Structures are given as C-alpha cells and as structure tokens.
Amino acid sequence: MTEQTLAAEPINAKKEDLYSAKPWQLIWRRFSKHILAVISLWFLLILAFCAIFAEFVAPYEPFKVERLRTMAPPTGIHLFHEGQFVGPFVYAMERTRDPETTRVSYEPDTSEPLPIRLFVASSDYSFFGLFKTDIHLFGVEGGRRDQINLMGTDDLGRDVFSRLIHGARVSLSAGLVGVAFAFVLGLTLGSISGYFGGWIDGAIQRLMELIRSIPTIPLWMGLAAALPVVWDPLIVYVLITFILALIGWTYLARVVRGQFLALRNEDYVLAARLSGASEYRIITKHMLPSMTSYIIAALTLAVPEMILGETALSFLGLGLRPPVVSWGVLLQDAQNLRSISLAPWLLAPGGAVVLTVLAFNFLGDGLRDAADPYGQ
Amino acid sequence: MSELPIPNHASLPDDVLFSVRGLKKYFPIQAGWLKKHVGDVKAIDDVSLDIKKGETLGLVGESGSGKSTVARLMLRAYDLTDGQILFRRSNNEIVDLSKLTDREMRPLRAEMQMIFQDPYSSLNPRMTLLELVGEPMVIHGVGNAGEIKDRVAELLKVVGLRPEFINRYPHAFSGGQRQRIGIARALALNPSFIAADEAVSALDVSVAAQNINLLQDLQEQFGLTYLFITHDLGMVEHIADRVGVMYLGRLMEVAPTELLFSKPLHPYTEALMAAVPQPDPRGNRTRKRVPLKGEIANAANPPSGCSFHPRCPYAQAKCSAEVPALRTVAGGRQVRCHFAEELSLVGAVA
Ligand SMILES: Nc1ncnc2c1ncn2[C@@H]1O[C@H](COP(=O)(O)OP(=O)(O)O)[C@@H](O)[C@H]1O
Ligand code: SF4
Ligand SMILES: [Mg+2]
C-alpha cells in the first residue's frame, strides 16, 4: 500500500510551482484576477506618487495668485496647429472682460502654439529639504501669462490642478494616519476581546456598539468644534485624524476579534498547542500570518471612510482650514453657487474624492477576496 | 465515586499506560451582557478508564456524548473540572497530568499526540510539509535544520508520501494524503500514545481503509498505544482491542471488542448495534435500521438517575431515581446499568 502511493504521478514542474507557491504568491495570483482591483491599485500608486512628490508634479505653486488669470477654464490641449502635427501644446489665453456684465472670459490666441514640455524649469521649491530645484514634471515655457491649467484656476487665479495635487498629500495622509491610529486601537482592543473573551469581551463589544450607534457627522462636528481655531494647523491635522480614528477603530476591532475567535478554534492551532508550542509561538506563527491579509484588506477598506470624514469636516469648516490645502478645504472654497455655475472645474476635488474612495473600496474588495487563497 | 482504586503516585499496574480516574469536565454556560455564569454543560461526568500499553482502546457513542472531550482532557488541551489523569512516561515515571500547568505539560507533549478528524483545518495552510511535520521538533529543540529536514523526509516515507513533497503546501494534497501528513506530524517525536479523534471519518471508504491499515502498521512498527474515537461501530470492531461506550458524558460499558459485539451488557450498546447495517444472507449490504428512539439528552440538563432512561426500552422505576454506578461484573467487564445481569441483550454478531 505504501509502495502504491509512493509510485504516484511523476512530478510536473508547473504543478509543483503551484503546490509550493508561498501564501503571498497565491494571494497575488488571486488578486490579479480582479481587474478592477488591479486598476485601482495602479491608480492609487500613481496618486500616491503625485501626493508624495506634489511640488514636482504640480506645475505651479498652490498659493501663487495670478490676478490676470482668475476663473480661467481648463486649458485645452491640442495636437495639430494649422493642420500640422506638432505634438501636445496649448494656446495662450486672451483675457477679455464683458463691459456690461464685467464678467471675465478667455479666448485662445491661436497664432502660436505653446508646446507642453517635460521637466521644465519654473518656480523654485525645496525637494524634501534636501536640495533646491525648479524642475517640474511638466509645463509650458513662455511668459508669466502663458500657463497650462489642466483644471482651470480659481477666483484668485491659483492653478486648481496644482492645488488638487497638494491637497491629495494632506487628504491621503490624513486617511492613512487616521487608519494607523485606528489600527493600533482596533488591533489592541480587538485582540484583547477575541483572546480573553468572557466579560472583557462583553464590555468591549458593548463599547463598540455604543460608538457605532452614534451618528458620525454630529459626533465629528462636536469633537472638531471643540478644537480652538487659533491652534497650529499641524496640530489640528493630527487631532482631526485622531478624532476620525476614535470612530473608525470599531470596524477594525471587529475584524481582528472575529479572526481571533475563528482561529482559536482551528484544529491546527490546537495541534500546535498539543505539540508544546508556547502562546507566543501560536500567535506569531499560526494566528498572525493568517490574519495579516485580512487585516490589510480591512485597513484598505477603512481608508475611504477616513478620507470622507476629513473631507466632510473640512467642507463644513470644522476640520482643516486654509492655508492648509486638502480636498475638503478646496471644496469649501468652491462652496458657493456662483462657482458651480461659472466655474464648475472648481469641483474637481470632489471628483478626486469620489475616484479615490472608489479605488480604495475596489482595492479592499479585491484584497479581501484574495486574503484566503485556500478557501473555496 | 470512582470504582477503580486510586493509586498513589508510584503505582500503576505495569501494563497500564494511561489511567483516568473520576474525570469531570463542565463547560460553563454564559449568558447576558457580562457573560454571567448561568449553568454548566456536563460534557464529561465521572469517567474512569485504563489504557494498556500497546493496545487500541476504541471509544464509541453518538455525537455529543463526550468522546472528543475525553481525548482532549487526556492530552490536557483543556483544564479539567475534577479527576486524575495518570500517565506512564517513557522512563516509567508516573505523572498526574491533572496537576500540571500548561508550561509543565510542554515537555510531556512529545510523548502523546493527536490525529484530527478534519484533514483540512488540522494543517496550517501557510506552512510547508517541512514546517508542519518539523514543527514539533523545532518546538522541542530536537536537532538542527538539516537533521529536522532528514527526519521529516523519513517520516513522509513512513506514512507513504514522497519525500520530494517536502516543500509543498497542504493545498497540494487530497484529504487522505493530508491525514497522512497529520499522522507524520504526530509521529515526529516518537510518542507512545496517539489519540485518533474520528481520524478517518471524513474520508472515502477506500481511503479510510488505507489509512486505517497505515495506523495499524505504525502501531506494530513503533509499539504505539491508541485511543481510537469513532462513531462507526464497524470501524471500531475492526481496529480496537477493547471498547468503551459513552453516552452523555459517561462511560456506559467497557469490554473487550469481541465480547462487546457478541454479548453487549448495556441497553445503549445494544441500541447502537441495532442501528448498524447488517450484511444480509445474500451478500449485499442492506440497512436494517432500528434507530435509537429519541435524541441524545441535553448535557446541560441531564435526566435524573440513569441518563439513558428516557430512551431505554428496559427502563424501570429505579432507573429514573438512582444513578447506576460503573460496576465490574463477571468476566472483568464494566457496565453502568442496574439490570445488566438480568437483561439478555442482542449483539451485532447473531
Ligand atoms: N468548548 C466547548 N464549550 C462548550 N461545550 C462544549 C465544548 N466542547 C464540547 N462541548 C459540549 O460537550 C459535549 C460533548 O462534546 P464532544 O466531546 O465534542 O462529543 P463527541 O466528540 O462525542 O461528539 C457536547 O454537549 C458539546 O456541546
Ligand atoms: S439503568 Fe435502567 S434505564 Fe439505564 S440502561 Fe439500565 S435499564 Fe436502561
Ligand atoms: Mg467529537
């Protein structure tokens, strides 16, 4: 009988690959089948790159006021000039004012194309305090008024695209820092709950239900309103993320607790214990490795909530305030009817929020589905 | 309480490996907001049994009768509510496991192992065969990386798996093969005792038979002692030397396998056998179902007197009033029934 099993099928290299694939390889295989999740991952990676290197990616400074270029619509990008292909370029904008309504309007001056160049020199900035440079990812060369405004300008002539990129840094990092706070709280309380059980579990569960039953917006507003206006924007930023985390941890704690409870009853955990494994070994070798993929998925799914929270608070004027640039702050700037009808491009940060939130959700869904590559 | 005399530390009959005395396990029932203790599930109530060196003791009973709990208590997966668990170590020292803390238990775990029912959940899917089967050696600090690898390869051969598979993960294997991986892990530290809890119940008949044969070969080869838990009477008849019949956390009867099947002394044993399909004279198996009437009672609220009385066809007034003791009767058999001597019950071998 032993021989019969031993003489089984010859080893097939391709199958062997699958059979000895590491857990994360299987997770990646499964994840990469989710097209939407993979696209979202790329989108978020690019967004993260833009946010980290905002000074480089943004063609202009976020605060640079251009009195003669207020409320300009997005600059059109062309490829053909007078029937001839010249590569991507823009036209300079001629500013005119309607004498009756005093309304400003812009007309392209089609006499001369302004080619879009990569790595152009423009305003100075310090690259993470390492060195000073004036190279930007893209831009147009020419006079002060020859600009490319991918998303138009606001009522002070500031470039909306540049502000959006700088806002991404604040909004994304607020989401991530908030999730990091929530992660610490959720992991600690969730594992205490799942590990000890009994009345401790009961008490933590009740606390979580209580927090979740409070309507979030009024709670945020109450907490945020308690922050003095005069405080340093950086402190306000940290406190805001902390407030978001105070509410967001319950979701993570629930995931962690559920995982702990499920894994405690796995036979392989009992097998390890019966082999003499210490609690430490059981937790680090058997429980945490199977939890990490779930926790990462849960963290990903928690980010959009944080971003929405920051946006909502700032939009209501209770969160971050100018001069800090976040998507919520930008949306608050656009918060009047005049801009919606005359300059709808000022709502671009809203689009950025929607896309980012969707991307995090798709990514999180993909990760969650791939988290257990062994389940059916 | 316990019918067997309780020995002092040094004395256990020479041929006994494991001796369980007056074992009790109550699981608290918790309810309400702060998990108040409102009662107990009496999963194990006064179980005493001896397992001899080199034998296979079968444990049968309906699901929920407490078989798994007995095995887990013996291996100290749980703390016990009451009782003694005497174990003879390989150096002949006798230890009462019930007194040991988790930490004190650890070195002893090398000598006693478990094989699980579910071939899927009992192997960590994120570990290779090398890590899985080698884990007990890593934990007990036996050998360096190279020695562990050699030993794992050897163990895989012993259970009929190719040593080339050492870097595979469990998802590459079928249920029967996974069960063998579990067996290899159990053998890693040369235990003297293995509890097999429904070890083949989840497998197809032919695969189950192969694995049973493997277990029997290993027993011969390594002088293992088995506690073999199953709800399949046919299986237990095939593999066990002696059988204990459990009902609602209590042993109802203990007897050598042949005697138990030819002449059961407890009405519950008879009822279990009546539910087993009998080969009919023409040779094709038909199911002659004489099912047990009713359901196993609630372990949180067991019936008074003999816990089997609500379902027992022979029950009399005394049965609901007095708890029968597990008595030793003629032939050295043990039975827990007031009327064991008076009843004349039908076994499986007619
Ligand atoms: N961890 C536990 N917590 C509470 N009750 C348990 C636990 N384990 C087993 N029980 C109860 O103990 C009784 C015996 O269970 P078990 O030993 O699993 O029976 P068997 O293995 O014979 O099917 C059942 O009533 C079961 O519900
Ligand atoms: S003691 Fe009474 S109820 Fe229990 S098994 Fe014997 S006859 Fe049946
Ligand atoms: Mg069981």
Side-chain angles (χ1 to χ4, degrees):
Chain A
M1 170 212 73
T2 298
E3 285 70 36
Q4 160 205 330
T5 330
L6 276 174
E9 95 279 25
I11 291 185
N12 168 331
K14 202 162 165 204
K15 267 193 178 163
E16 198 56 34
D17 259 7
L18 176 67
Y19 289 156
S20 42
K22 299 217 158 36
W24 62 263
Q25 291 173 319
L26 292 179
I27 290 177
W28 177 252
R29 260 177 225 215
R30 214 180 233 217
F31 175 79
S32 48
K33 294 208 181 97
H34 277 254
I35 305 297
L36 215 46
V38 175
I39 295 173
S40 299
L41 179 62
W42 278 109
F43 172 78
L44 290 172
L45 285 176
I46 293 170
L47 187 66
F49 175 86
C50 294
I52 292 168
F53 301 104
E55 288 90 352
F56 168 68
V57 174
Y60 306 104
E61 284 170 31
F63 306 111
K64 190 159 162 240
V65 174
E66 286 286 354
R67 293 204 182 287
L68 294 178
R69 207 177 167 92
T70 57
M71 301 290 249
T75 321
I77 297 175
H78 309 267
L79 292 173
F80 294 93
H81 178 63
E82 289 170 356
Q84 252 187 325
F85 181 79
V86 289
F89 68 93
V90 298
Y91 288 121
M93 289 294 201
E94 205 62 50
R95 177 185 165 102
T96 53
R97 192 183 283 271
D98 185 321
E100 262 165 47
T101 60
T102 72
R103 192 181 283 177
V104 183
S105 61
Y106 292 86
E107 280 299 324
D109 163 13
T110 56
S111 58
E112 189 195 349
L114 298 170
I116 301 173
R117 301 241 187 268
L118 287 177
F119 307 110
V120 293
S122 153
S123 54
D124 283 349
Y125 61 93
S126 146
F127 189 84
F128 294 106
L130 294 176
F131 53 88
K132 275 202 178 302
T133 175
D134 60 355
I135 301 297
H136 292 254
L137 178 63
F138 68 97
V140 290
E141 281 160 341
R144 262 192 61 189
R145 276 190 244 157
D146 301 331
Q147 286 201 358
I148 173 167
N149 303 115
L150 289 180
M151 292 174 180
T153 61
D154 66 5
D155 53 355
L156 294 176
R158 296 173 297 195
D159 180 39
V160 173
F161 179 74
S162 297
R163 288 171 69 72
L164 186 109
I165 293 294
H166 282 266
R169 176 183 284 176
V170 174
S171 289
L172 281 185
S173 65
L176 294 178
V177 173
V179 162
F181 280 134
F183 171 67
V184 173
L185 272 172
L187 192 67
T188 315
L189 288 164
S191 29
I192 289 175
S193 205
Y195 197 81
F196 291 104
W199 68 269
I200 300 179
D201 182 33
I204 293 178
Q205 288 293 101
R206 297 298 90 72
L207 176 67
M208 282 165 49
E209 276 159 30
L210 183 75
I211 290 179
R212 253 182 287 153
S213 68
I214 302 171
T216 38
I217 295 280
L219 180 64
W220 283 339
M221 288 171 62
L223 288 168
L227 303 178
V229 188
V230 292
W231 281 7
D232 186 82
L234 188 70
I235 295 177
V236 173
Y237 168 84
V238 172
L239 286 175
I240 292 284
T241 56
F242 195 70
I243 290 169
L244 296 175
L246 277 181
I247 297 146
W249 68 270
T250 57
Y251 171 68
L252 289 166
R254 203 175 47 188
V255 171
V256 171
R257 172 180 177 271
Q259 283 286 308
F260 255 100
L261 290 181
L263 288 172
R264 287 245 80 159
N265 293 326
E266 286 285 352
D267 280 348
Y268 66 76
V269 169
L270 178 59
R273 223 146 67 74
L274 292 182
S275 294
S278 60
E279 284 298 310
Y280 176 78
R281 184 182 173 87
I282 288 174
I283 292 178
T284 54
K285 288 266 172 196
H286 292 276
M287 299 177 84
L288 286 181
S290 35
M291 288 167 70
T292 37
S293 48
Y294 287 96
I295 292 176
I296 291 172
L299 287 174
T300 312
L301 289 170
V303 175
E305 192 134 339
M306 300 285 168
I307 292 180
L308 284 174
E310 183 278 326
T311 310
L313 280 183
S314 304
F315 179 74
L316 294 170
L318 294 163
L320 302 171
R321 300 179 179 92
V324 175
V325 187
S326 78
W327 289 344
V329 171
L330 292 178
L331 283 173
Q332 202 212 358
D333 272 358
Q335 200 192 70
N336 55 58
L337 281 176
R338 200 169 79 97
S339 62
I340 293 174
S341 62
L342 291 183
W345 54 86
L346 290 181
L347 297 177
V353 171
V354 171
L355 282 180
T356 307
V357 166
L358 280 178
F360 270 110
N361 278 322
F362 290 141
L363 177 66
D365 278 344
L367 287 173
R368 193 173 47 191
D369 292 345
D372 180 11
Y374 309 102
Q376 286 320 308
Chain B
M1 167 201 68
S2 179
E3 284 71 38
L4 304 163
I6 296 178
N8 56 37
H9 257 223
S11 84
L12 203 55
D14 276 348
D15 59 341
V16 174
L17 180 73
F18 243 124
S19 179
V20 169
R21 319 267 158 138
L23 194 63
K24 282 188 187 164
K25 178 65 187 177
Y26 295 172
F27 289 106
I29 304 170
Q30 296 171 329
W33 270 37
L34 291 174
K35 309 276 167 87
K36 236 174 61 197
H37 181 191
V38 295
D40 290 300
V41 176
K42 296 182 176 168
I44 299 298
D45 211 357
D46 192 12
V47 163
S48 301
L49 58 87
D50 282 356
I51 303 179
K52 299 199 184 77
K53 264 195 267 181
E55 81 167 340
T56 300
L57 179 73
L59 210 50
V60 296
E62 286 163 286
S63 163
S65 53
K67 308 180 294 295
S68 300
T69 308
V70 168
R72 288 172 183 215
L73 285 170
M74 288 173 68
L75 300 185
R76 286 298 313 278
Y78 300 141
D79 285 334
L80 38 162
T81 307
D82 196 17
Q84 264 192 324
I85 304 170
L86 303 179
F87 176 69
R88 182 190 298 278
R89 299 199 62 173
S90 47
N91 59 7
N92 266 327
E93 183 195 349
I94 294 175
V95 201
D96 185 353
L97 305 184
S98 66
K99 303 279 188 297
L100 302 185
T101 63
D102 229 28
R103 190 173 287 274
E104 290 166 331
M105 250 327 271
R106 269 181 219 157
L108 280 97
R109 297 206 178 279
E111 300 185 32
M112 54 187 84
Q113 281 295 313
M114 178 126 144
I115 304 173
F116 295 84
Q117 169 170 15
D118 185 346
Y120 291 87
S121 82
S122 56
L123 301 177
N124 188 338
R126 287 169 174 77
M127 285 186 167
T128 60
L129 298 205
L130 174 61
E131 292 167 312
L132 281 167
V133 178
E135 182 172 39
M137 288 174 258
V138 173
I139 292 169
H140 289 265
V142 183
N144 59 32
E147 286 161 359
I148 289 177
K149 192 166 179 181
D150 292 345
R151 171 89 174 122
V152 171
E154 179 198 324
L155 284 165
L156 290 181
K157 258 190 272 179
V158 165
V159 299
L161 293 169
R162 297 166 71 182
E164 297 93 311
F165 295 165
I166 200 163
N167 289 320
R168 285 189 178 183
Y169 288 84
H171 68 89
F173 299 93
S174 68
Q177 291 173 318
R178 283 163 173 253
Q179 203 57 270
R180 286 160 183 256
I181 301 169
I183 294 172
R185 171 177 60 191
L187 291 176
L189 294 170
N190 288 317
S192 52
F193 175 80
I194 291 184
D197 189 356
E198 308 269 9
V200 295
S201 307
L203 307 177
D204 291 344
V205 180
S206 65
V207 181
Q210 273 187 25
N211 282 9
I212 288 285
N213 288 342
L214 173 66
L215 285 175
Q216 286 181 318
D217 291 350
L218 295 173
Q219 182 168 40
E220 213 166 290
Q221 205 175 335
F222 300 112
L224 296 168
T225 304
Y226 287 147
L227 175 64
F228 193 89
I229 295 173
T230 178
H231 59 263
D232 180 343
L233 283 174
M235 193 75 80
V236 90
E237 187 177 11
H238 176 68
I239 197 175
D241 300 308
R242 290 190 307 136
V243 180
V245 181
M246 283 199 72
Y247 183 74
L248 215 58
R250 291 191 164 128
L251 269 177
M252 290 300 174
E253 178 165 11
V254 184
T257 310
E258 254 172 60
L259 285 178
L260 185 92
F261 279 84
S262 59
K263 190 180 184 316
L265 291 183
H266 197 284
Y268 179 60
T269 315
E270 182 189 46
L272 280 179
M273 287 174 181
V276 165
Q278 300 283 329
D280 87 354
R282 268 157 297 162
N284 41 5
R285 289 176 77 123
T286 52
R287 268 176 186 272
K288 190 188 91 183
R289 276 202 172 277
V290 185
L292 269 163
K293 65 173 182 180
E295 301 241 314
I296 189 165
N298 179 358
N301 185 18
S304 64
C306 171
S307 51
F308 187 55
H309 86 257
R311 303 169 77 186
C312 180
Y314 310 101
Q316 296 175 33
K318 187 183 180 190
C319 299
S320 53
E322 268 179 59
V323 181
L326 186 70
R327 302 175 287 133
T328 305
V329 294
R333 302 174 57 173
Q334 292 174 295
V335 59
R336 194 191 277 276
C337 170
H338 292 305
F339 305 107
E341 287 90 344
E342 286 113 88
L343 299 170
S344 157
L345 305 175
V346 186
V349 199

